[in-house]
Amino acid sequence: MAILRRRRAFILRRASPTAPLGLLALAGPAWAQGGPPSAPDGLDVSGSMRLRYETIDGQARPGFNASDDLLNLRTILSAQYKTGPVKLAAEVYDSRAWLADRRTPVSTNEVNTFELVQAYVAVDAANAFGDGTSLSLQGGRFLLNIGSRRLVAADDYRNTTNGYTGLRADITGKGGLRGTFLYVLPQVRLPDDLSSILDNKPRVDRESFDQVLWGGTVSRSKTIGNAMAELSFYHLGERDAPGRPSRDRSLDTVGGRIIRDPKAGAIDYEIEAIYQFGHVSSSLAATAPRLAVSASFFHADIGYSFTGGWKPRVSIEFDRASGDGPGSRYGRFDTLFGMRRADLAPAGLYNAVGRANIATPGLRVEATPSKAVDWFVGYRLMWLADRTDTFSTTGVRDATGRAGSFAGHQVDARVRTWIVPDRLRVEVDGVWLAKGRFLRAAPNAPTNGDTKYLSLNLTASF
């Protein structure tokens, strides 16, 4: 397992007198997954700074400003020292936000000041179980991106990331067989009170045995033709901590996935089904009754990549995550620590569409006109999986179900271009949510028209 994706970059000026000085850097998901095992020995340092301006009009989530602006700065410094099979790595994230007030939807998703999110030791053992096999062990604080990333991920669009503390093992066997297994304590980002977040106050994140995640995935390439097959299982155990009540989640999540990667002139596809069971408290109250959980998620897409200079790909997609309906069982799907941007929509000020109580078919067109430019446009129709539960991650609900189940139409687009190759990149993301009957008629739905979201991003790397 290699630890660091090597990059060289520029350093941006501070966005504010309160922003940190110096070098900063992004390792992101690829860094957490590992680089080539043949990386040379010695010390390597890399980094990036990402400055983002977001604006939204017609906020879909109740309780927040109808229109809002936010300025985010994410600065990261990463370092690795490698000697033979042993690697030592550390990474600091500094995530800050400005222009917010007390009715801005800002949280630890945007602010986590000067945090050591990674500090670990990794050891690689080639031919551990015979020729062509390998074993990699990792211990400490680290990022994780496992399988489809729908359950365990380090979200890269979001201004902050998900960190984990514990142990990870990666095994490569013969015949395309691979396994990843982990026992970790998810890091709780701190501080999490609104006043401290608005002031960008630093505080060391914590992890404890009050929240534990363990499990893993096993996959095999070319199981069905050229398609890879994967099985996964994760257990999340959670209990109340002093001053921090919880839903006391005890969730077992089992999934299966089949994926054929895109290839020019060929059809590709992905199917993933996940079932979740266990129990959860009905509220944060210490005496709240426990509810049995029965929840599910399903994703399917099929696409075709055309030949030609632009490498265009067209795909049809469908996602369904269960909601909590009437009855004694709890049915709302919990995506654990999964990402959302790659499948559904941006986080940030928008953050309205996630993997919960949603049924959404969609169409996506994407292309890479040159080595410096890539873009996509996606369109989705969105319904509630259960009309009496909160729609996705909006907080909008009609417990009677009278507002119906159609949430609306979403158009989501992104374009990225390298101004200086591998050094400086611009990204523009935009979303238009044409609200359907539910998002207009539900009792707590904001009455502010359709939602329009835009983010402008500038990332410098070294």
Side-chain angles (χ1 to χ4, degrees):
M1 180 195 318
I3 304 171
L4 184 61
R5 179 175 61 188
R6 298 172 176 273
R7 301 183 354 167
R8 299 289 182 268
F10 289 96
I11 303 170
L12 294 176
R13 292 179 177 267
R14 293 181 293 170
S16 145
T18 60
L21 287 166
L23 304 175
L24 296 177
L26 165 65
W31 196 83
Q33 290 281 58
S38 59
D41 287 1
L43 178 66
D44 196 8
V45 177
S46 69
S48 77
M49 296 183 76
R50 185 182 69 188
L51 184 65
R52 169 183 293 158
Y53 170 72
E54 299 177 86
T55 183
I56 193 168
D57 183 56
Q59 173 65 257
R61 295 181 283 166
F64 300 119
N65 296 320
S67 299
D68 223 330
D69 301 274
L70 195 64
L71 184 67
N72 302 274
L73 179 65
R74 186 181 71 182
T75 48
I76 310 160
L77 174 65
S78 305
Q80 169 195 283
Y81 179 76
K82 180 177 183 295
T83 175
V86 179
K87 306 173 191 72
L88 302 157
E91 183 172 66
V92 174
Y93 266 59
D94 189 271
S95 303
R96 300 173 183 243
W98 299 273
L99 307 182
D101 61 36
R102 302 193 72 85
R103 286 178 57 83
T104 299
V106 64
S107 68
T108 58
N109 288 340
E110 287 72 41
V111 175
N112 193 21
T113 306
F114 203 70
E115 183 62 37
L116 185 67
V117 296
Q118 299 206 92
Y120 64 85
V121 178
V123 179
D124 299 332
N127 302 317
F129 308 103
D131 291 344
T133 67
S134 68
L135 170 65
S136 295
L137 298 176
Q138 186 177 6
R141 276 190 161 197
F142 42 77
L143 305 182
L144 289 170
N145 285 288
I146 309 296
S148 68
R149 304 176 62 235
R150 295 186 178 104
L151 294 173
V152 182
D155 198 324
D156 187 53
Y157 182 86
R158 206 178 66 200
N159 204 44
T160 63
T161 192
N162 295 329
Y164 310 83
T165 302
L167 300 172
R168 169 179 174 165
D170 290 274
I171 299 172
T172 301
K174 296 182 179 180
L177 190 65
R178 295 178 180 270
T180 298
F181 308 96
L182 55 93
Y183 183 95
V184 296
L185 312 178
Q187 296 165 23
V188 178
R189 294 186 295 277
L190 297 172
D192 56 2
D193 64 285
L194 182 56
S195 294
S196 297
I197 289 170
L198 292 173
D199 290 338
N200 292 299
K201 288 186 176 179
R203 184 178 169 189
V204 177
D205 293 352
R206 63 179 288 273
E207 57 276 285
S208 73
F209 287 96
D210 295 322
Q211 189 178 75
V212 177
L213 177 72
W214 59 267
T217 66
V218 176
S219 65
R220 183 176 181 271
S221 61
K222 297 183 178 180
T223 301
I224 303 174
N226 289 323
M228 181 200 75
E230 178 183 88
L231 295 174
S232 63
F233 173 83
Y234 295 99
H235 174 81
L236 176 69
E238 178 185 67
R239 64 190 180 194
D240 294 346
R244 187 175 292 275
S246 73
R247 292 290 299 271
D248 302 308
R249 291 176 294 171
S250 179
L251 299 177
D252 294 305
T253 305
V254 59
R257 183 168 71 119
I258 299 172
I259 180 171
R260 181 178 179 180
D261 291 328
K263 181 180 179 181
I267 292 175
D268 60 85
Y269 57 86
E270 180 184 15
I271 299 172
E272 182 166 32
I274 301 173
Y275 180 67
Q276 198 165 67
F277 58 98
H279 60 263
V280 64
S281 295
S282 60
S283 73
L284 294 178
T287 58
R290 306 279 269 180
L291 302 175
V293 173
S294 179
S296 60
F297 169 77
F298 178 77
H299 169 88
D301 69 71
I302 183 169
Y304 182 83
S305 298
F306 295 86
T307 58
W310 280 42
K311 302 176 184 176
R313 177 178 178 267
V314 178
S315 61
I316 300 172
E317 307 171 339
F318 178 76
D319 291 87
R320 185 187 187 279
S322 61
D324 184 37
S328 59
R329 287 183 174 270
Y330 185 78
R332 187 175 177 86
F333 182 74
D334 190 325
T335 195
L336 303 181
F337 305 95
M339 59 76 196
R340 76 173 70 202
R341 180 67 183 105
D343 282 345
L344 297 170
L349 289 177
Y350 185 62
N351 210 35
V353 180
R355 212 167 282 110
N357 194 31
I358 190 172
T360 172
L363 175 68
R364 179 180 296 225
V365 180
E366 52 195 307
T368 307
S370 69
K371 291 182 179 180
V373 180
D374 66 83
W375 59 263
F376 78 80
V377 177
Y379 167 69
R380 286 185 173 274
L381 291 158
M382 299 184 296
W383 285 267
L384 286 74
D386 189 289
R387 64 173 58 197
T388 62
D389 192 15
T390 299
F391 170 60
S392 199
T393 52
T394 61
V396 179
R397 183 182 184 189
D398 179 6
T400 69
R402 294 171 185 165
S405 61
F406 182 60
H409 309 258
Q410 177 183 273
V411 178
D412 175 22
R414 182 186 72 191
V415 59
R416 300 183 297 191
T417 181
W418 287 100
I419 298 174
V420 180
D422 300 322
R423 300 290 199 272
L424 191 64
R425 186 168 73 175
V426 172
E427 174 182 335
V428 180
D429 295 76
V431 179
W432 173 43
L433 171 60
K435 297 175 181 176
R437 179 170 177 260
F438 175 82
L439 289 178
R440 295 181 182 276
N444 67 334
T447 57
N448 51 26
D450 292 345
T451 303
K452 296 167 282 292
Y453 168 82
L454 178 69
S455 79
L456 308 174
N457 306 264
L458 180 66
T459 303
S461 310
F462 72 90

